[in-house]
Amino acid sequence: MASRIQQDSYRIPVNFGNQPSIQTSNIFTLLERADLTQFWTRNVVKTTFSGLSPATGYNGDEDQGLMGSLNVLLKIGLFQMNGGTDKDAVYQIGSPIFNKITIDLNPAYYSGKTFVIRAQNNSSENVYIKNIRYNNKAVEDFTLSHQQITNGGELILEMSDQPKS
């Protein structure tokens, strides 16, 4: 039995319960397929980061808070492929599970007061983003800069059950 489990574990090409795979569902935005990022981030949330409890914990290697942080980022619909190491960091916009998220920005570090994400028409079926507006301006490339987020404002995502064509 142990050898069977060991053999099966080598067949898993992507393991969202471990650090080497954390960016995998978000890579599609960089490949100009944001719809696949939206689809896969919702599925990762559903299969890896849902139904968590103190009794079960995370499905995988939760050390130093990385998987917990990934859980939060996927659920709010933002991810930074280079871990914020770029001078002008860019966040990919995924598919948030919440209708509204308010992030209070620390005034000692950031000029904005709050950054709000609103997902209109959000549901478990409506995982795709039909339209994006940041501070009433259209966003076409499914990304926001770190500066845009820390300047505060409102990101409005119009959700749909069909990918944007």
Side-chain angles (χ1 to χ4, degrees), residues 126-137:
N126 292 348
V127 303
Y128 299 104
I129 300 171
K130 184 176 178 180
N131 289 305
I132 305 172
R133 298 195 65 75
Y134 168 70
N135 290 340
N136 292 320
K137 294 180 183 169

Side-chain angles (χ1 to χ4, degrees), residues 2-150:
S3 63
R4 173 73 181 170
I5 292 170
Q6 187 177 23
Q7 288 175 347
D8 286 349
S9 67
Y10 290 117
R11 293 184 194 173
I12 301 171
V14 176
N15 176 2
F16 287 103
N18 203 356
Q19 289 90 342
S21 298
I22 66 171
Q23 77 281 14
T24 306
S25 64
N26 287 277
I27 192 74
F28 299 106
T29 299
L30 299 180
L31 300 172
E32 298 180 6
R33 287 297 310 269
D35 61 312
L36 293 176
T37 289
Q38 295 153 25
F39 174 84
W40 284 111
T41 56
R42 278 288 184 105
N43 278 285
V44 169
V45 165
K46 183 171 56 177
T47 59
T48 306
F49 295 113
S50 293
L52 303 175
S53 76
T56 60
Y58 286 102
N59 175 20
D61 184 14
E62 170 59 313
D63 55 349
Q64 301 147 357
L66 181 61
M67 301 314 291
S69 299
L70 174 63
N71 179 14
V72 170
L73 291 170
L74 293 177
K75 287 180 177 179
I76 69 171
L78 293 175
F79 190 80
Q80 210 291 313
M81 288 296 289
N82 293 327
T85 60
D86 291 338
K87 180 180 177 189
D88 298 313
V90 173
Y91 291 79
Q92 290 73 43
I93 300 171
S95 181
I97 66 168
F98 302 106
N99 296 331
K100 181 181 178 188
I101 300 129
T102 301
I103 300 171
D104 293 320
L105 300 167
N106 186 331
Y109 302 102
Y110 305 114
S111 61
K113 293 183 179 185
T114 60
F115 176 70
V116 177
I117 302 169
R118 292 184 192 272
Q120 299 173 336
N121 200 31
N122 198 13
S123 70
S124 58
E125 294 81 27
N126 292 348
V127 303
Y128 299 104
I129 300 171
K130 184 176 178 180
N131 289 305
I132 305 172
R133 298 195 65 75
Y134 168 70
N135 290 340
N136 292 320
K137 294 180 183 169
V139 175
E140 298 297 329
D141 63 357
F142 296 93
T143 64
L144 280 182
S145 70
H146 181 77
Q147 184 172 5
Q148 286 175 300
I149 292 171
T150 59

